[in-house]
Amino acid sequence: MGANKYPILFSSDQIQGMVKRLGDNITKDFRGKNLIIVGVLRGSFIFMADLCRQIDLQFQVDFVRLHSYGAQKESSGTVQISKDIETDIKDKDVLVIEEIVDTGRTLDFLIDRLKASDPSSLKVAALLDKPSRRVVPVKIDYLGAAVEDKFLVGYGLDFNEQYRNLPAIHFLE
Ligand code: IMP
Ligand code: MG
């Protein structure tokens, strides 16, 4: 594997600290609600697995898989869905889980699509945000950390489908 040559931005301990803080806030805010957590595949699978275990509530989980085509390190304007949620979210409180928000196109597409199913509320949790890259404005309700415009791998984030398994988040240099 040998991916540890890449410099670390956030260590595993730092990530777990962020995840704990987000989980505590989500637990407070969603108490008494009908929470459904929707993970965006594939990148969010590790963040979602850890975050779910820091949310001390009863809830359901579901997944969507979205593609945005374009250059390898950048999403294009076109977002497509290849796996939709299978849960009825009408009148439910939906929390979307993204590992990183870049241009905002993926989240914007997903939020519009989910809103059409008439949830009672719709919020977003993202581990990382690259605000300087934003093309479409999106509101992130629960954020781990804002980062500068550098390509990152690890903790679910990939480059060409590799490095998702790294426990830390690294700069791909
Ligand atoms: P957006 O539609 O441009 O906001 O793209 C969001 C998606 O692009 C994320 O869910 C990731 O899958 C991917 N992405 C954006 N930045 C990075 C990065 O630094 N490393 C790995 N994937 C990234
Ligand atoms: Mg993604």
Side-chain angles (χ1 to χ4, degrees):
M1 192 177 71
N4 295 330
K5 63 187 177 193
Y6 297 120
I8 286 181
L9 174 60
F10 294 117
S11 69
S12 178
D13 281 355
Q14 287 174 306
I15 296 167
Q16 293 312 319
M18 293 187 230
V19 172
K20 174 85 172 74
R21 170 173 58 80
L22 295 175
D24 287 348
N25 289 335
I26 292 164
T27 301
K28 266 185 241 145
D29 293 354
F30 285 87
R31 187 157 283 132
K33 308 230 169 176
N34 289 312
L35 175 59
I36 298 183
I37 291 183
V38 175
V40 183
L41 295 171
R42 300 185 171 104
S44 72
F45 80 115
I46 291 181
F47 173 47
M48 181 171 174
D50 283 346
L51 182 61
C52 281
R53 285 174 287 183
Q54 298 295 341
I55 300 173
D56 187 17
L57 297 171
Q58 290 190 327
F59 55 86
Q60 297 180 42
V61 299
D62 205 341
F63 298 92
V64 286
R65 173 130 164 76
L66 299 169
H67 302 264
S68 60
Y69 294 99
Q72 278 181 331
K73 289 187 180 178
E74 199 168 335
S75 71
S76 68
T78 321
V79 182
Q80 288 188 14
I81 187 157
S82 65
K83 188 232 168 288
D84 208 344
I85 54 168
E86 292 156 38
T87 311
D88 182 8
I89 60 168
K90 186 172 163 47
D91 300 328
K92 301 287 167 59
D93 299 291
V94 175
L95 179 65
V96 171
I97 309 287
E98 256 284 33
E99 78 287 6
I100 187 164
V101 183
D102 188 48
T103 64
R105 285 180 180 123
T106 304
L107 253 188
D108 182 63
F109 173 91
L110 179 60
I111 287 168
D112 273 2
R113 202 184 155 88
L114 292 175
K115 274 187 178 161
S117 299
D118 217 11
S120 115
S121 69
L122 183 51
K123 289 196 167 170
V124 174
L127 181 63
L128 302 175
D129 180 21
K130 287 181 182 169
S132 67
R133 297 261 311 156
R134 197 73 85 253
V135 174
V136 185
V138 285
K139 182 164 180 266
I140 303 173
D141 301 281
Y142 304 93
L143 177 66
V147 296
E148 56 182 312
D149 179 15
K150 292 204 173 143
F151 201 80
L152 305 172
V153 293
Y155 199 70
L157 289 99
D158 74 302
F159 176 62
N160 281 347
E161 296 301 327
Q162 299 297 311
Y163 310 118
R164 293 192 196 274
N165 57 316
L166 300 179
I169 293 171
H170 301 253
F171 293 108
L172 187 77
E173 291 196 325

